[in-house]
Amino acid sequence: MKRTKIANALASKELGETITVKGWVRTKRENKNVAFLAVNDGSTIHNIQVVVDVPNFDEEMLKSVTTGAGISVTGTLSPSLGQGQAVEIQATEIVVYGTADPETYPLQKKGHSLEFLRSIAHLRPRTNTFGAVFRVRHAMAYAIHKYFNDKGFAYLHTPVITASDAEGAGAMFQVTTLPLDNPPRREDGTINYEEDFFGKTTNLTVSGQLEGELAAMALSEIYTFGPTFRAENSNTPRHLAEFWMIEPEMAFFDITDNMDLAEDFLKYCVRYALEHCGDDLKFLNDMFDKELIERLKFILNNDFQRLTYTEAIAVLEASGKKWEFPVSWGVDLQAEHERYLVEEHYKKPVILIDYPKEIKAFYMKQNDDGKTVRAMDVLFPRIGEIIGGSQREENYDKLVARMQQVGIKEEDMWWYLDTRRFGSVPHSGFGLGFERLVLFVTGMANIRDVIPFPRTPMNAEF
Ligand code: 4AD
Ligand code: MG
């Protein structure tokens, strides 16, 4: 018989119909005459209640239907007398696909800590919490593609393996097929990468931006959405070694256009979650974060505060706060500073622009003051930096001068510099950390809990 998804069964008005649902048993309560199974198939946070007339079923089979078992149930969709659901299934047939030994199945009824669930990341999607988080994650990925598609952006696939260090940050995973115990060497003893797979050193990408810029110089508006890798040893609730990034790049956009797009885009994603993930957000709100839904609505109803780095430093200096990392013009802002601006001072999202050039990447457009660049960071409550971007330096001579200052070789970047030689135009873009968005929208506290299989220092299990 055709399977009905549990989300559809729960919403169905066709009482008296015979339907088949398939899923995993969450709980079982029973006495001599009747058993109640709560079954979930991941299509919704809600379980469907299955009522089993015990005398009508094989005893051994029923015994094997325990928490975690995978089953198929056929029966009559009926109004439910129990509270919490409108309908239930009066079972006529049960098929057990796979049992789950109660002695060893780790997800028993009692609540488990998020730390424990991280150690069984292969099973945690079967919990209410991770079912909700991964459905919201999916909805956000879909919303992002829809947003850019509706605006006429082209989805551009940028390489995962690359020879360039887009951010100049240096924290990269090397990609090689050379034997590490005995690599080929030149006469001076250094490793000869000409014999490596690509004939040169390569790494996993830290950003698709530079290639994105090449395409924006032809298609006008593109975005990337793919995995990026950073080998920085930061063990924090907001850093992953492998994370997904969305990077729009737009020809003919200046920094104000860039800010407008970033704000509109973030609000669209939050609105999409509120409109399409109501049940999951309500669960997460009630379980983990009583202010979640209020906070999401607040984002929609407020203009983001826009100010320069220099103005932000003045606010931080005037705050009278004792900082762990002292503040003065020129320092990179730390999470404590970003969160003060957003959560205590302005009490809304903040967009900071015009950072000192020394703390930003080489490609950002240089301001006339000679000290700052047209960078743009969007700071969110609880998250800190959710977006980093800039207007790009489109002037060939200025760009080369900056590359020389920071020690990036022109010959390695000839293809990037070509865009500034042939038909160079003003352009801008930014990168949204996908997991930071999901973190914000779900109200979870740790970035390891919004990606199915987190990659962090000393951890690549699953
Ligand atoms: O600020 P970042 O380093 O900017 C870039 O990579 C630019 N190329 C983007 C662009 O202009 N096209 O990274 C962008 C965003 C950050 O704001 C943050 O949300 C996220 O990526 N991010 C991380 N997320 C999780 N784990 C990490 N280790 C992250 N590093 C950056
Ligand atoms: Mg950044």
Side-chain angles (χ1 to χ4, degrees):
M1 210 181 146
K2 196 167 158 290
R3 170 187 170 214
T4 303
K5 292 250 193 141
I6 289 171
N8 297 334
L10 290 172
S12 173
K13 301 269 173 290
E14 319 229 313
L15 299 179
E17 290 281 298
T18 298
I19 63 167
T20 297
V21 299
K22 302 183 180 194
W24 293 267
V25 177
R26 285 292 175 81
T27 58
K28 177 189 191 183
R29 290 183 289 122
E30 64 190 323
N31 59 39
K32 257 203 341 272
N33 300 317
V34 59
F36 298 96
L37 310 176
V39 180
N40 189 283
D41 66 0
S43 59
T44 156
I45 187 101
H46 302 296
N47 305 324
I48 197 157
Q49 171 155 284
V50 174
V51 185
V52 186
D53 239 337
V54 171
N56 295 340
F57 286 83
D58 178 68
E59 202 183 322
E60 280 306 302
M61 185 279 291
L62 270 190
K63 242 200 234 159
S64 74
V65 179
T66 56
T67 297
I71 64 171
S72 169
V73 177
T74 301
T76 318
L77 193 65
S78 316
S80 178
L81 302 177
Q83 56 179 0
Q85 72 264 331
V87 296
E88 62 191 19
I89 297 180
Q90 301 281 341
T92 50
E93 193 193 341
I94 296 176
V95 176
V96 181
Y97 290 125
T99 57
D101 176 12
E103 297 297 316
T104 51
Y105 183 60
L107 292 174
Q108 296 302 331
K109 199 179 168 188
K110 71 174 169 66
H112 297 291
S113 73
L114 294 171
E115 287 79 9
F116 170 72
L117 291 173
R118 258 172 244 152
S119 73
I120 53 164
H122 60 307
L123 295 172
R124 67 179 181 168
R126 296 194 198 182
T127 62
N128 283 332
T129 299
F130 286 92
V133 168
F134 295 143
R135 277 187 297 273
V136 173
R137 184 180 165 104
H138 160 75
M140 289 296 89
Y142 178 75
I144 287 163
H145 284 300
K146 182 165 165 49
Y147 179 82
F148 286 118
N149 181 66
D150 289 354
K151 280 195 164 329
F153 284 56
Y155 177 26
L156 185 82
H157 298 98
T158 49
V160 170
I161 300 175
T162 150
S164 79
D165 172 5
E167 291 302 297
M172 299 185 296
F173 290 99
Q174 193 177 340
V175 175
T176 180
T177 54
L178 293 179
L180 287 181
D181 49 355
N182 186 22
R185 294 190 186 271
R186 295 195 197 85
E187 274 178 9
D188 64 1
T190 56
I191 295 175
N192 185 4
Y193 285 103
E194 280 169 27
E195 289 187 33
D196 203 351
F197 190 91
F198 296 105
K200 55 167 136 182
T201 56
T202 50
N203 50 269
L204 295 177
T205 187
V206 296
S207 157
Q209 175 195 323
L210 301 192
E211 292 90 350
E213 283 185 57
L214 311 181
M217 292 301 104
L219 300 169
S220 290
E221 290 165 0
I222 64 94
Y223 70 105
T224 73
F225 189 165
T228 49
F229 306 86
R230 304 218 175 158
E232 50 199 39
N233 202 351
S234 359
N235 246 315
T236 83
R238 281 180 288 279
H239 286 87
L240 292 163
E242 174 179 307
F243 64 100
W244 289 65
M245 186 154 48
I246 297 94
E247 296 185 272
E249 191 71 33
M250 298 76 62
F252 316 114
F253 270 50
D254 66 12
I255 191 72
T256 305
D257 302 324
N258 207 22
M259 287 192 276
D260 290 345
L261 182 74
E263 180 166 345
D264 185 61
F265 171 50
L266 287 168
K267 285 179 170 168
Y268 178 91
C269 293
V270 169
R271 189 177 309 113
Y272 191 94
L274 284 168
E275 285 172 4
H276 294 88
C277 307
D279 286 358
D280 289 325
L281 292 183
K282 182 173 183 313
F283 172 82
L284 294 166
N285 185 89
D286 295 348
M287 278 295 288
F288 294 102
D289 179 355
K290 297 277 187 294
E291 282 145 30
L292 173 62
I293 290 176
E294 276 314 306
R295 195 180 312 115
L296 296 180
K297 289 186 178 155
F298 181 79
I299 294 293
L300 298 186
N301 297 330
N302 284 279
D303 290 340
F304 297 3
Q305 181 72 43
R306 301 179 182 191
L307 69 158
T308 64
Y309 168 92
T310 302
E311 289 166 334
I313 292 291
V315 169
L316 294 169
E317 283 178 336
S319 71
K321 286 244 164 193
K322 280 264 161 290
W323 306 110
E324 191 188 336
F325 296 90
V327 176
S328 62
W329 200 95
V331 302
D332 206 356
L333 296 184
Q334 303 294 325
E336 55 172 338
H337 311 130
E338 296 175 341
R339 294 186 62 169
Y340 172 79
L341 291 171
V342 172
E343 292 167 20
E344 294 182 51
H345 191 79
Y346 292 107
K347 296 195 164 59
K348 55 179 162 170
V350 168
I351 309 183
L352 283 186
I353 58 167
D354 294 341
Y355 282 72
K357 64 175 186 225
E358 278 75 22
I359 58 172
K360 290 293 181 186
F362 73 95
Y363 50 69
M364 296 189 181
K365 186 171 175 64
Q366 297 158 34
N367 284 320
D368 292 337
D369 63 11
K371 293 191 303 190
T372 60
V373 288
R374 222 159 275 179
M376 160 188 116
D377 277 8
V378 181
L379 313 179
F380 254 38
R382 293 178 91 244
I383 305 294
E385 180 189 335
I386 194 163
I387 277 179
S390 71
Q391 186 167 340
R392 318 307 188 189
E393 182 54 75
E394 80 269 22
N395 179 287
Y396 180 88
D397 295 327
K398 287 187 182 168
L399 183 59
V400 168
R402 187 67 191 143
M403 284 168 63
Q404 285 167 349
Q405 282 170 9
V406 299
I408 298 174
K409 291 204 203 94
E410 281 159 69
E411 58 265 32
D412 291 347
M413 300 292 276
W414 63 273
W415 45 274
Y416 185 68
L417 288 170
D418 263 6
T419 56
R420 275 65 170 177
R421 293 176 59 209
F422 307 122
S424 187
V425 300
H427 62 290
S428 301
F430 60 81
L432 167 69
F434 185 51
E435 284 73 21
R436 294 204 183 164
L437 174 70
V438 181
L439 203 50
F440 181 74
V441 170
T442 58
M444 301 300 283
N446 193 311
I447 201 162
R448 291 166 182 76
D449 296 331
V450 299
I451 187 166
F453 303 104
R455 297 290 178 252
T456 50
M458 304 309 289
N459 173 38
E461 192 69 37
F462 310 105

